[in-house]
C-alpha cells in the first residue's frame, strides 16, 4: 500500500496493483468491515479500493485516508450514509446507552 497527497495505491485480492488519484475519488466509506475508497475513472468505471478492518495498521491508515479525503473535499460515508447526515446524538447513545443528551460523560 502507498498513500500520498495525490494518489492511493493498493494490491487487490489477486495481487494486482490498483492506483487512483484523489481527484477521481467520489467518497470514502467507513463500515464495520473496514474502509472503502470509491473512485470513478475517466471511462466512468467505478473503482473500489478496500482496506479490511483486520489489516494490522488499519487504525492509522484509515485516519490518514479520512484526513486526505477531507483535504480533497471528498465526502465520508459511515455505514452507507453521508457523515453530514448522521444523527451523532443517536449514534453516541447507541454506542453508550447510559449517555443522555445532557450528560457530559
Amino acid at each position: 500500500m502507498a498513500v500520498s497527497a495525490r494518489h492511493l495505491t493498493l494490491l487487490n485480492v489477486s495481487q494486482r496493483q490498483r492506483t487512483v488519484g484523489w481527484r477521481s475519488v467520489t467518497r470514502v466509506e467507513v463500515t464495520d468491515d473496514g474502509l472503502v475508497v470509491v473512485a470513478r475513472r475517466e471511462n466512468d468505471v467505478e473503482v473500489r479500493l478496500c482496506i479490511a478492518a483486520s489489516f494490522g495498521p488499519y487504525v492509522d491508515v484509515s485516519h490518514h485516508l479520512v484526513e486526505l479525503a477531507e483535504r480533497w473535499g471528498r465526502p465520508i460515508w459511515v455505514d452507507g450514509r453521508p457523515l453530514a447526515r448522521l444523527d451523532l446524538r443517536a449514534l453516541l447513545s447507541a454506542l453508550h446507552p447510559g449517555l443522555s443528551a445532557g450528560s457530559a460523560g
Side-chain angles (χ1 to χ4, degrees):
M1 174 185 334
V3 180
S4 75
R6 293 190 179 271
H7 298 92
L8 170 64
T9 302
L10 295 175
L11 294 176
N12 64 15
V13 291
S14 61
Q15 298 301 306
R16 289 194 181 129
Q17 185 172 303
R18 305 206 67 189
T19 300
V20 296
W22 280 102
R23 289 181 194 254
S24 66
V25 171
T26 58
R27 70 183 175 274
V28 172
E29 299 177 359
V30 180
T31 70
D32 290 338
D33 297 327
L35 188 132
V36 180
V37 177
V38 181
R40 193 153 303 278
R41 297 221 186 255
E42 291 177 10
N43 59 0
D44 210 33
V45 171
E46 184 177 88
V47 176
R48 301 173 69 84
L49 302 178
C50 305
I51 302 168
S54 60
F55 176 62
Y58 172 76
V59 172
D60 292 334
V61 170
S62 61
H63 281 269
H64 186 58
L65 291 175
V66 166
E67 288 172 359
L68 285 168
E70 289 176 332
R71 188 178 306 159
W72 279 92
R74 301 306 185 243
I76 298 163
W77 288 31
V78 178
D79 291 331
R81 297 178 62 198
L83 184 61
R85 292 189 183 157
L86 286 179
D87 180 356
L88 293 180
R89 183 170 293 149
L91 178 63
L92 289 175
S93 67
L95 294 173
H96 302 285
L99 184 66
S100 67
S103 71

